[in-house]
Amino acid sequence: MPAHVLVTGGAGFIGTRLVRRFVEAGHTVTVLDSLIPQVHGNDPEATSPLLHSLGGVATVIHGSVTSTDDLRNALAGAQIVVHLAAETGTGQSMYEIDRYVGVNVGGTAKLLDLLTNEEHSVRRLVVASSRSIYGEGAYTTEDGRVVYPPHRSDADMAAGDFDVHLAGEGPLRLVPTDETAELHPSSVYGITKQMQESLVMTVAPNIGVEPVSLRYQNVYGPGQSLKNPYTGILSIFSTLVRQGKSINIFEDGRESRDFVYIDDVVEATFLAATTAGAAGGTFNVGSGIGTTVLEVVDALFAAFGTSVPTHVSGNFRLGDIRHNVADTTKLKRLLGFRPAVEFRDGVRRFVEWVLTEPVESDAYQRSLDEMSARNLLK
């Protein structure tokens, strides 16, 4: 049945594509977005292709999830809410703590407060959580036990030891992390995502709203912000390649992430919002495959058909994890969903889009300088 859908943060990278997916399926969509300059530029009407893509597709409300009036206005008539609105960026969260907590936790609390205390028509609430809530995720010991190692120490990494360790154990082997894993985020961003998820999954059932939590892995693809230096290494490295600048590879380059293509994320999110079997569930949304930073660089060079100098520096950021790979069994079993886009194909599509965009200024170095000044980048 067609529904009225509210997508908070709906003018962002994931949100704009998700909005179009809902509209194509016959739903009516309202977007609430603060249109922050870090993503949309200082004059979004003139500088944001993401915002332009929503013209004639959805009702866009320029407002914040931290405003009761904006939220109340956006919620009018909504039956499904997909809560994407959040400040993102592991590194930046470590020194803009008040802003991250205020938007991510405060905005979610305000949304739930309205749903609890005022009349509404919402029947399902999907919250965008994150792989960051797992911290280092799951490993097995030499005798096969599953363990969840603590955060890596500054001293170990300064000495060039970037692997994870657990006292009393020998070498650990990385395994996919499932939804039952211990939650111990290593960054302020991760803490806020855990709190968002916990709030939604605790409060929503008590007020007759079906909650769903999606733990996104590293989302990438066309439309990803090339202005925002906190959006991930594919955007950052692509800009450096186009500028002909060298790439500084942190740690030893063997740290890995689970990269999942934007179209796969959108489809998984659409299913989570519309499939009866998703109600009350928590799902990893990823590819289930780990890709190292060195492999990312290789894939980008192949897609661009050129290269720039690289340097494996041993630099590291406090709050970063070593590896993360999602166990996506539950997503397949309950929603029947399997990612369709393999990493190198996704990178090729991403680079084809990047080459149609203007070359952005190097905001990345400024972000590194900000972290160094606070002793968060070593």
Side-chain angles (χ1 to χ4, degrees), residues 90-239:
T90 298
Q92 189 180 47
S93 77
M94 300 295 282
Y95 58 90
E96 294 202 17
I97 300 162
D98 183 61
R99 181 163 72 94
Y100 272 72
V101 173
V103 173
N104 297 2
V105 181
T108 303
K110 197 171 290 292
L111 171 62
L112 291 166
D113 193 86
L114 278 172
L115 293 177
T116 299
N117 294 295
E118 299 189 5
E119 290 187 6
H120 63 83
S121 52
V122 176
R123 61 175 185 261
R124 179 165 296 188
L125 172 56
V126 180
V127 61
S129 186
S130 167
R131 56 92 186 159
S132 62
I133 71 176
Y134 292 125
E136 288 294 348
Y139 288 75
T140 57
T141 61
E142 291 177 297
D143 59 1
R145 290 175 290 111
V146 176
V147 294
Y148 304 100
H151 313 317
R152 297 176 294 169
S153 75
D154 188 343
D156 283 346
M157 291 192 287
D161 180 2
F162 301 112
D163 288 328
V164 296
H165 301 285
L166 186 62
E169 302 290 346
L172 302 176
R173 183 175 68 87
L174 177 70
V175 294
T177 301
D178 69 20
E179 293 85 352
T180 66
E182 178 182 321
L183 306 182
H184 58 144
S186 59
S187 67
V188 172
Y189 172 70
I191 292 169
T192 67
K193 299 308 285 187
Q194 181 182 359
M195 292 181 73
Q196 277 189 297
E197 176 181 311
S198 297
L199 284 167
V200 168
M201 301 305 286
T202 299
V203 174
N206 294 331
I207 57 174
V209 175
E210 299 171 342
V212 184
S213 178
L214 301 179
R215 294 173 179 171
Y216 292 147
Q217 307 300 303
N218 289 66
V219 187
Y220 75 99
Q224 188 169 347
S225 176
L226 301 175
K227 298 183 181 73
N228 186 351
Y230 305 99
T231 55
I233 60 174
L234 281 161
S235 290
I236 293 165
F237 289 175
S238 293
T239 297

Side-chain angles (χ1 to χ4, degrees), residues 13-326:
F13 170 43
I14 298 172
T16 49
R17 289 193 175 222
L18 180 62
V19 166
R20 292 196 294 275
R21 178 68 179 90
F22 276 117
V23 171
E24 289 166 1
H27 303 288
T28 301
V29 182
T30 296
V31 166
L32 175 64
D33 201 293
S34 60
L35 303 176
I36 62 171
Q38 188 166 288
V39 175
H40 297 279
N42 292 320
D43 182 8
E45 293 290 344
T47 59
S48 176
L50 290 171
L51 178 60
H52 293 167
S53 73
L54 296 176
V57 176
T59 299
V60 179
I61 298 172
H62 184 182
S64 173
V65 292
T66 62
S67 164
T68 300
D69 289 341
D70 290 344
L71 270 173
R72 182 183 291 119
N73 186 24
L75 281 167
Q79 296 157 305
I80 298 171
V81 177
V82 181
H83 185 37
L84 301 178
E87 297 292 349
T88 61
T90 298
Q92 189 180 47
S93 77
M94 300 295 282
Y95 58 90
E96 294 202 17
I97 300 162
D98 183 61
R99 181 163 72 94
Y100 272 72
V101 173
V103 173
N104 297 2
V105 181
T108 303
K110 197 171 290 292
L111 171 62
L112 291 166
D113 193 86
L114 278 172
L115 293 177
T116 299
N117 294 295
E118 299 189 5
E119 290 187 6
H120 63 83
S121 52
V122 176
R123 61 175 185 261
R124 179 165 296 188
L125 172 56
V126 180
V127 61
S129 186
S130 167
R131 56 92 186 159
S132 62
I133 71 176
Y134 292 125
E136 288 294 348
Y139 288 75
T140 57
T141 61
E142 291 177 297
D143 59 1
R145 290 175 290 111
V146 176
V147 294
Y148 304 100
H151 313 317
R152 297 176 294 169
S153 75
D154 188 343
D156 283 346
M157 291 192 287
D161 180 2
F162 301 112
D163 288 328
V164 296
H165 301 285
L166 186 62
E169 302 290 346
L172 302 176
R173 183 175 68 87
L174 177 70
V175 294
T177 301
D178 69 20
E179 293 85 352
T180 66
E182 178 182 321
L183 306 182
H184 58 144
S186 59
S187 67
V188 172
Y189 172 70
I191 292 169
T192 67
K193 299 308 285 187
Q194 181 182 359
M195 292 181 73
Q196 277 189 297
E197 176 181 311
S198 297
L199 284 167
V200 168
M201 301 305 286
T202 299
V203 174
N206 294 331
I207 57 174
V209 175
E210 299 171 342
V212 184
S213 178
L214 301 179
R215 294 173 179 171
Y216 292 147
Q217 307 300 303
N218 289 66
V219 187
Y220 75 99
Q224 188 169 347
S225 176
L226 301 175
K227 298 183 181 73
N228 186 351
Y230 305 99
T231 55
I233 60 174
L234 281 161
S235 290
I236 293 165
F237 289 175
S238 293
T239 297
L240 293 174
V241 170
R242 297 186 75 192
Q243 293 174 335
K245 295 182 177 180
S246 63
I247 294 175
N248 176 7
I249 298 174
F250 287 180
E251 301 188 16
D252 57 5
R254 295 183 176 85
E255 62 274 26
S256 66
R257 298 292 184 269
D258 185 331
F259 292 93
V260 57
Y261 192 68
I262 179 63
D263 291 354
D264 288 331
V265 170
V266 165
E267 189 60 24
T269 305
F270 177 79
L271 291 173
T274 59
T275 304
T282 298
F283 301 91
N284 286 332
V285 179
S287 68
I289 299 171
T291 302
T292 68
V293 174
L294 291 173
E295 290 170 333
V296 169
V297 171
D298 183 63
L300 279 172
F301 288 171
F304 274 112
T306 189
S307 64
V308 295
T310 61
H311 173 55
V312 180
S313 65
N315 291 142
F316 59 92
R317 298 187 311 178
L318 298 184
D320 275 353
I321 63 169
R322 179 62 168 169
H323 300 294
N324 187 253
V325 179

